[in-house]
Amino acid sequence: MNFELTEEQLAVQQAAREFAQSELLPGVIERDETQTFPLEQVKKMGELGFLGMMVDPKYNGGGMDTVSYVLAMEEISKIDASASVCMSVNNSLVCWGIEKYGTEEQKQKYLKPLATGEKIGAFCLSEPEAGSDATSQQTTAEDKGDYYLLNGTKNWITNGNTASIYLVIAQTDREKGHKGINCLIVEKGMDGFVVGKKENKLGIRGSDTHSLMFTDVKVPKENRIGDDGFGFKFAMSTLNGGRIGIASQALGIASGAYELALAYSKERKAFGKPISQHQAIQFKLADMATEIEAARLLCLKAAHLKDQKKDFGKASAMAKLFASKVAMDTTIEAVQIHGGYGYVKEYHVERLMRDAKITQIYEGTSEIQKIVISRELLK
Ligand code: CAA
């Protein structure tokens, strides 16, 4: 067992840290308030290779390992979780899904521009009536010979408006249950595809979350990923990796809040000394640092297993379950340590606290992670 990062991994971590400080920190409070997507910043993330980190260089990707991806996600998420969710979905759901299961034509046409960030991707599984119960897809993809006729509504879609390439999960044959579900690559601009309203959210307010409507959209057969009926397995398999991204996002939100609280505790004085000299604060910092370290190790273990091409579904669910709880607990404590200042926007921690909550909900709620983990335990 080796806990040392390689020079390459350290360089990726450093590059992400510098990018987050110089490009994402300025304006992050305003973007949160005005619900503004960090478009320019995401473009730069693409130029720097953060949007297709693990994609094979022959498809314009960075050819990096998942450990590097975790490190970069943590650094970006410390500062701006709205940017990092875009990064996570593009890397680990959309790029990975197409690279792993797509045809060569799909990779040439869709993966190449996604890997550079020239185009952004979205993953469309959730529906008004199908969140955790993902097999209950109401969106239909009727087989019409050489195309599918797509009808339905998707909800809470990250990158909903910014994306131009959408992986849409839909039911083709209801009688076959989850084995009758397909995943189709849908392009923005296809007739009958409308981007719906933007959600006004508690946290990650800069991220671009929309509902999507499909009315008689004709999607060519060659845009189906995998064999007929593979769509549900595609979604589950892709989410196994996606959860490493969200776990790392939660880790970053937690460590960002911790770093702010640690620095503040050394500056702020109460009862004649810095509050860091009071045991009440010291114990909070000790708990935060320990839990963050444990979350980090779970994220890195899941990433390592994925890089070793071993089964990582349970590990990624554990990482997400634990890291998202640590994000919630740590950010609440970071606000507490900041006292009244923590409750106002300028000190960042209230935003991180609001951002933390979604990590317990999307890409599988904490309850769903427990289902995934316990099924593995009881196999
Ligand atoms: N990996 C690979 N295959 C899997 C799998 C996994 N993790 N989980 C299930 N499968 C397979 C099963 O083996 C099964 O196949 P067979 O019938 O051939 O054996 C098939 O999928 C159906 O599985 P289940 O019978 O277990 O299905 P279920 O109805 O009991 O549901 C579930 C399982 C784990 C609860 C699943 O529905 C689930 O993960 N729900 C949560 C969905 C989710 O994460 N949504 C997030 C939305 S995406 C998002 O948030 C993106 C964003 O924008 C940020």
Side-chain angles (χ1 to χ4, degrees):
M1 192 173 294
N2 180 4
F3 286 98
E4 299 289 313
L5 296 173
T6 64
E7 280 192 13
E8 201 182 354
Q9 289 162 345
L10 287 168
V12 172
Q13 185 182 47
Q14 185 62 23
R17 188 174 294 155
E18 283 168 14
F19 175 79
Q21 284 294 333
S22 63
E23 302 286 343
L24 291 172
L25 185 57
V28 67
I29 293 171
E30 293 71 24
R31 292 196 299 275
D32 170 73
E33 256 187 273
T34 55
Q35 305 184 68
T36 305
F37 182 75
L39 190 58
E40 282 310 306
Q41 294 81 350
V42 165
K43 257 193 190 151
K44 284 187 188 159
M45 283 165 72
E47 286 159 16
L48 289 170
F50 288 126
L51 295 182
M53 291 184 70
M54 295 164 288
V55 174
D56 190 317
K58 75 177 178 200
Y59 301 115
N60 297 342
M64 288 177 234
D65 59 9
T66 316
V67 168
S68 300
Y69 171 58
V70 167
L71 300 172
M73 275 297 297
E74 180 182 353
E75 293 305 322
I76 303 281
S77 306
K78 278 182 187 175
I79 305 296
D80 189 347
S82 293
S84 74
V85 68
C86 171
M87 174 176 163
S88 180
V89 168
N90 203 71
N91 273 285
S92 48
L93 293 180
V94 184
C95 284
W96 189 82
I98 297 177
E99 186 167 19
K100 172 97 176 153
Y101 296 110
T103 62
E104 187 54 33
E105 290 70 31
Q106 290 168 351
K107 291 178 198 175
Q108 292 295 339
K109 186 170 176 189
Y110 298 114
L111 181 57
K112 279 185 161 178
L114 283 165
T116 57
E118 184 197 323
K119 291 191 174 164
I120 299 291
F123 184 83
C124 314
L125 174 66
S126 303
E127 298 187 350
E129 311 267 335
S132 293
D133 184 8
T135 52
S136 301
Q137 293 289 307
Q138 298 304 308
T139 299
T140 53
E142 214 182 316
D143 191 339
K144 293 285 189 185
D146 54 355
Y147 66 89
Y148 287 99
L149 199 61
L150 186 66
N151 278 289
T153 301
K154 294 289 173 182
N155 263 25
W156 311 295
I157 303 304
T158 302
N159 303 337
N161 194 30
T162 310
S164 44
I165 298 170
Y166 299 77
L167 303 188
V168 181
I169 314 294
Q171 187 83 48
T172 296
D173 187 341
R174 201 163 294 287
E175 282 186 4
K176 289 189 184 159
H178 73 262
K179 294 194 167 85
I181 290 175
N182 280 309
C183 175
L184 306 178
I185 305 176
V186 177
E187 292 180 48
K188 190 182 249 164
M190 282 181 168
D191 277 349
F193 172 21
V194 174
V195 176
K197 76 171 171 65
K198 182 171 174 159
E199 300 293 350
N200 183 2
K201 307 188 296 290
L202 171 74
I204 55 163
R205 286 169 59 78
S207 91
D208 190 26
T209 314
H210 285 257
S211 53
L212 307 175
M213 274 78 79
F214 305 97
T215 311
D216 289 339
V217 181
K218 285 185 180 172
V219 185
K221 266 267 169 79
E222 67 256 27
N223 281 26
R224 186 185 72 212
I225 299 186
D227 293 337
D228 184 28
F230 179 64
F232 189 72
K233 288 254 178 94
F234 170 83
M236 291 298 109
S237 165
T238 306
L239 279 165
N240 285 339
R243 288 167 185 160
I244 298 179
I246 300 304
S248 316
Q249 180 189 47
L251 167 66
I253 293 170
S255 54
Y258 162 75
E259 285 175 13
L260 289 168
L262 180 68
Y264 180 81
S265 73
K266 293 180 194 164
E267 285 162 18
R268 173 72 174 172
K269 290 202 173 83
F271 304 101
K273 54 185 178 183
I275 60 171
S276 61
Q277 299 306 311
H278 293 285
Q279 200 176 51
I281 301 298
Q282 291 169 350
F283 280 12
K284 283 188 196 300
L285 293 171
D287 280 340
M288 290 158 97
T290 306
E291 284 168 16
I292 288 167
E293 190 61 19
R296 186 176 290 118
L297 290 173
L298 281 175
C299 289
L300 291 171
K301 182 179 176 191
H304 176 73
L305 288 173
K306 180 163 174 277
D307 288 335
Q308 299 300 309
K309 312 231 175 308
K310 295 195 173 142
D311 198 358
F312 61 92
K314 183 180 73 175
S316 68
M318 283 181 167
K320 183 179 181 293
L321 174 67
F322 188 74
S324 60
K325 182 172 186 317
V326 171
M328 210 58 248
D329 294 349
T330 305
T331 53
I332 287 173
E333 286 296 55
V335 171
Q336 192 69 17
I337 290 172
H338 280 76
Y341 290 107
Y343 207 65
V344 297
K345 305 234 176 234
E346 291 90 300
Y347 285 76
H348 298 282
V349 283
E350 65 80 35
R351 185 185 74 257
L352 291 167
M353 186 181 87
R354 288 185 285 104
D355 289 350
K357 186 60 204 168
I358 192 60
T359 65
Q360 295 185 305
I361 298 173
Y362 58 21
E363 297 206 19
T365 61
S366 294
E367 292 74 13
I368 290 293
Q369 306 313 320
K370 289 181 192 179
I371 291 177
V372 173
I373 296 163
S374 57
R375 282 184 181 178
E376 288 288 329
L377 298 177
L378 296 166
K379 251 183 187 173

